[in-house]
Amino acid sequence: MVDVIIESTENGPNLVVVGGEVKYALCRCGHSNNKPFCDGTHRKVNFKADKKEVKVI
Ligand code: FES
């Protein structure tokens, strides 16, 4: 079975990590022009959020 981890980066997107490889970067600031994906706009809007990691079973 392949490990799937959702990693909420500090002040940035949710990364979907499958088997140790980042597959997607999902916007969690709400300002991306390419939702649901992160386009880097979180830096322009000075998005602040804690880092967290959840392993999906
Ligand atoms: S988290 Fe990067 S654009 Fe929203």
Side-chain angles (χ1 to χ4, degrees), residues 12-13 26-32 38-42:
L26 303 176
C27 177
R28 70 175 173 143
C29 76
H31 294 279
S32 174
C38 170
D39 69 355
T41 303
H42 60 271

Side-chain angles (χ1 to χ4, degrees), residues 35-54:
K35 291 182 187 84
F37 305 106
C38 170
D39 69 355
T41 303
H42 60 271
R43 292 185 201 98
K44 294 179 187 169
V45 299
N46 202 26
F47 178 67
K48 298 292 182 200
D50 292 336
K51 177 179 180 174
K52 293 179 185 170
E53 187 173 293
V54 176

